[in-house]
Amino acid sequence: MNDISVGTIVGIIVGIVLVIVVIVIIARSVRIIPQASAGVVERLGRYHKTLSPGLNILVPVIDRLRPLIDVREQVVSFPPQPVITEDNLVVSIDTVVYFQVTDARAATYEIANYLGAVEQLTTTTLRNVVGGLNLEEALTSRDQINDQLRAVLDEATGKWGIRVSRVELKAIDPPLSIQDSMEKQMRAERDRRAAILTAEGTKQSAILEAEGARQAEILRAEGDKQAAVLRAQGEAEAIGTVFNAIHEGQPDDKLLAYQYLQILPKISEGTANKLWIIPSELTEAVKGIASGFTGGASPSSWTPPKPKSPPPTTPAPATRAEAAAKSAADAPVIPPSAVPPSSAVIDGVVQDPVIPEPLVIPPADEPPAIDFGSGQNPPA
């Protein structure tokens, strides 16, 4: 009975072991590959196939599955790398690389560590590209640098089963001294632009003020012109009215003589008027007035009186004023008829005759040449 019990126990143990072995074999034969992943299968140490996402069956013991590879696009940020520019300045550049595994077999067998290879290749390519640019170009030509890096990396990683889709420069940090100089330069540039804008504003303001003053002067001149035209038209109408009234009234010589006598006081106005111009027509008018008062006798028949005997000798005046008064009292009186026509009398002395221009009376349809009311010639 003991023998039966021992054999039974051994059989049970063997059966359990067989079941476990079968379970392990089945577990290793069935593999489930997740989406966006790829698995490389080696059979007896050689590449056999690449498993696609889903359920896959492998031969136990003979087939071996390598670690899964992520075939999604990956983003890797590399630490700052010192790069020397063309103008011998050391700048620190951070790069970001976007890549994707397109061939799991090449990524597994063509290169040992494709991520480290991409990092080193990015660093060397970046130094090569930025080394041919100065600092100003490196700061303003990021798109150009990105395109050159992507082209070089994509060409080099193509045989590794990797496609580089984009390379970005995350930061370019120049030295602190250069940063201070750049800030000063930018501040000076902004001050220059502010000064230019201020000057432009001042210029535009001055131009507008000049335009306003010009327009004001033009309008003021136009107003003065219109006022002068209207004033001249009014004076012309007034002169025409007086001219027509004079010709309609048909003035005679007595009226003209009376007008001459009214004009004479205005001629003598002013302290500087020492020379009188007597027109020849005045003598004729005075003759007419004199004939009216003398009953028709001609003033030309008047003879100057005989000179009197010289007065007794008097003592010389003491002052210049007394001498002037004495000389004025001793000067002979010259009657009007004794003065030749168009002659001038200055301080009692008859000067050379001045021939005046003849007075021309225009016809009835033209304005007169002399304004009898004011004693002044009308404006031309």
Side-chain angles (χ1 to χ4, degrees), residues 64-236:
R64 184 175 71 91
L65 180 64
R66 292 181 66 89
L68 298 179
I69 298 175
D70 193 352
V71 296
R72 294 175 297 178
E73 185 173 4
Q74 302 178 39
V75 180
V76 180
S77 178
F78 300 130
Q81 300 294 330
V83 180
I84 301 177
T85 61
E86 186 181 13
D87 47 359
N88 297 325
L89 293 176
V90 180
V91 295
S92 180
I93 301 179
D94 297 348
T95 56
V96 179
V97 178
Y98 298 81
F99 68 94
Q100 182 181 10
V101 177
T102 57
D103 189 354
R105 185 193 66 80
T108 304
Y109 297 107
E110 295 295 335
I111 190 168
N113 183 6
Y114 62 85
L115 187 59
V118 169
E119 179 181 358
Q120 296 300 324
L121 183 60
T122 301
T123 302
T124 55
T125 306
L126 181 63
R127 290 177 178 176
N128 186 23
V129 173
V130 178
L133 303 175
N134 54 35
L135 180 60
E136 193 72 21
E137 294 174 350
L139 294 175
T140 58
S141 304
R142 292 195 175 190
D143 293 339
Q144 180 181 356
I145 298 174
N146 294 337
D147 293 339
Q148 292 182 8
L149 286 175
R150 190 196 64 78
V152 173
L153 291 176
D154 193 18
E155 182 181 358
T157 59
K159 62 180 181 178
W160 300 342
I162 298 173
R163 181 178 62 86
V164 178
S165 59
R166 172 180 280 181
V167 179
E168 294 290 342
L169 300 181
K170 185 168 62 174
I172 300 178
D173 299 327
L176 295 178
S177 59
I178 300 301
Q179 292 182 9
D180 295 338
S181 300
M182 293 173 61
E183 290 178 359
K184 292 180 181 179
Q185 181 181 1
M186 184 166 293
R187 191 180 301 111
E189 182 67 20
R190 290 180 179 177
D191 294 340
R192 183 182 69 86
R193 293 179 181 178
I196 291 174
L197 292 177
T198 302
E200 289 290 339
T202 304
K203 174 184 175 183
Q204 294 295 332
S205 176
I207 291 175
L208 293 178
E209 290 180 358
E211 288 290 337
R214 175 174 172 271
Q215 294 294 333
E217 291 294 334
I218 291 175
L219 293 177
R220 190 178 296 109
E222 290 288 339
D224 295 342
K225 173 185 175 182
Q226 295 294 332
V229 170
L230 294 177
R231 192 180 299 109
Q233 291 178 355
E235 293 179 358

